[in-house]
Every structure is written in C-alpha cells, then in structure tokens.
Amino acid sequence: MRAYVYDDIPGDQRLPHDSGSSISESTLKHLGVTYKEIPIDPQGSWEKEIDVFAKERGYKNRDQITVTPAGLGDAYETKIKSFFDEHLHEDEEIRYILDGSGYFDIRGEGASYNDRWIRIALGKGDLIVLPAGIYHRFTVDSANMITAMRLFQDEPKWTPYSRSDQTTDGRPARAAYLDEVKRAVSSTA
C-alpha cells in the first residue's frame, strides 16, 4: 500500500496521478480508513487471518470480484468509469486484494486536505476498510486487472450513492463519518 495526494491533472484515471506528497498510515487512520497487509502464502494461512479479521468485525458474508477487459468484455470501459464516480455507502466497504492492483481514492477532510483526493495504491495481500459515509471512488491501474474479496456484515450488498450536496451530504452515514473524523482530529490536537 502506498498513499499520496492525487495530482488532479486530467488524464487516464488508471495512471498513478502521484503529486509527490505522501500520506501516512496514521493519517489514513484519522480519516477512518483501516489498512492491513495479509500476505497471500501458498500454505493458505492468509485465509485463516481473513476469517479472524471477519469474525472480529462481524462480517458474515463474502464474495469475489474480478475486473478485467476479458472478463467484462465490451462493458469494461463503462464499468470502470462507473466505479470511478464519486460516491459513498451506508456500510463499510471492505476489500482484500487477491491478485492484481488498483486505486481507491478518498476525499481528504479538514483544513489540511481541503476536500482533495487521497489516492491509495493497493496490490496483492492488501486489505482496506473504508468507513461508511466517506466519499471515495475506485479504479484499476494501467495493468487493467484486479481480483478482490469483498466482505459484508450481512447479505452481500453494494449500494453506491453518487455525490450530490442535496442527497449524500444529508445521509446519516455521512454525518456520522464527519463526526468521527472531528473526534479523531480533536483527540490528537
């Protein structure tokens, strides 16, 4: 995992867009993002570690998604553009990367980031939990391939709410998220 401020230069979303300004894991944690590295080993001990993590957080279901041009065919470009639409969820979004690589972008909160994008580059063995209510988006990188395990607390669901000041800023998950970030910032001040 590597995190940095997105450069905001127009161009292919799959390129790194690295501004050169790194973001620490502790900053991600203050923004509510959980990161854990669980290397995938041939003995399968990673599966036990995922099971323990899932149990600790109350995740009862999981599935896998593979995003490739071959797998999605003619719908590939449309699909990755839809993943890149800024949105939030009412539930946490949990992804464990089984193969390939890609980027999650999150909106930075507070004066330090002024609503700028923070790009999180993930690869095989990386696990990320985005809190409910955080604005984010996803894209594969230029390798155009990722396989991820998705974990869910209840029945698998993935309902994105595209960013709109009238609807998403007023969602309970958004308000709860902003309150949590304010508490995290004030506890370190």
Side-chain angles (χ1 to χ4, degrees):
M1 184 278 295
R2 194 168 70 80
Y4 50 89
V5 175
Y6 187 85
D7 67 12
D8 284 326
I9 296 171
D12 190 334
Q13 69 196 40
R14 294 169 278 204
L15 296 176
H17 289 280
D18 189 345
S19 68
S21 180
S22 296
I23 301 293
S24 68
E25 273 188 59
S26 64
T27 297
L28 293 178
K29 187 175 181 177
H30 284 291
L31 293 171
V33 176
T34 300
Y35 169 76
K36 183 174 178 92
E37 182 181 13
I38 304 174
I40 296 177
D41 61 325
Q43 297 78 26
S45 64
W46 65 270
E47 293 178 79
K48 292 179 191 105
E49 210 169 327
I50 289 291
D51 290 342
V52 168
F53 184 81
K55 186 175 181 180
E56 287 171 353
R57 295 186 70 100
Y59 304 143
K60 299 177 190 118
N61 292 298
R62 60 185 79 170
D63 67 9
Q64 285 185 26
I65 182 169
T66 298
V67 179
T68 64
L72 295 175
D74 292 340
Y76 179 74
E77 291 294 330
T78 302
K79 197 65 161 169
I80 65 165
K81 288 199 185 324
S82 75
F83 292 154
F84 203 61
D85 178 50
E86 182 175 5
H87 62 281
L88 62 77
H89 303 285
E90 291 288 334
D91 300 307
E92 293 180 328
E93 181 165 335
I94 308 94
R95 299 293 182 266
Y96 176 56
I97 310 304
L98 297 168
D99 200 9
S101 50
Y103 303 113
F104 274 94
D105 297 340
I106 62 169
R107 282 285 183 191
E109 298 297 331
S112 300
Y113 304 103
N114 196 25
D115 209 31
R116 294 203 55 200
W117 284 113
I118 295 171
R119 177 154 275 194
I120 306 167
L122 300 172
K124 188 174 181 176
D126 289 332
L127 181 139
I128 192 168
V129 180
L130 301 180
I134 192 171
Y135 285 121
H136 65 283
R137 60 190 184 189
F138 168 78
T139 187
V140 293
D141 61 17
S142 58
N144 287 311
M145 186 280 179
I146 195 165
T147 298
M149 177 185 292
R150 304 184 301 179
L151 299 149
F152 304 93
Q153 290 181 337
D154 294 307
E155 290 301 312
K157 67 178 179 175
W158 186 83
T159 306
Y161 297 96
S162 292
R163 186 171 190 177
S164 158
D165 291 336
Q166 294 83 16
T167 59
T168 50
D169 282 350
R171 296 195 76 81
R174 181 69 182 161
Y177 170 71
L178 291 174
D179 286 345
E180 191 61 34
V181 170
K182 284 178 193 167
R183 273 195 293 279
V185 168
S186 66
S187 72
T188 59

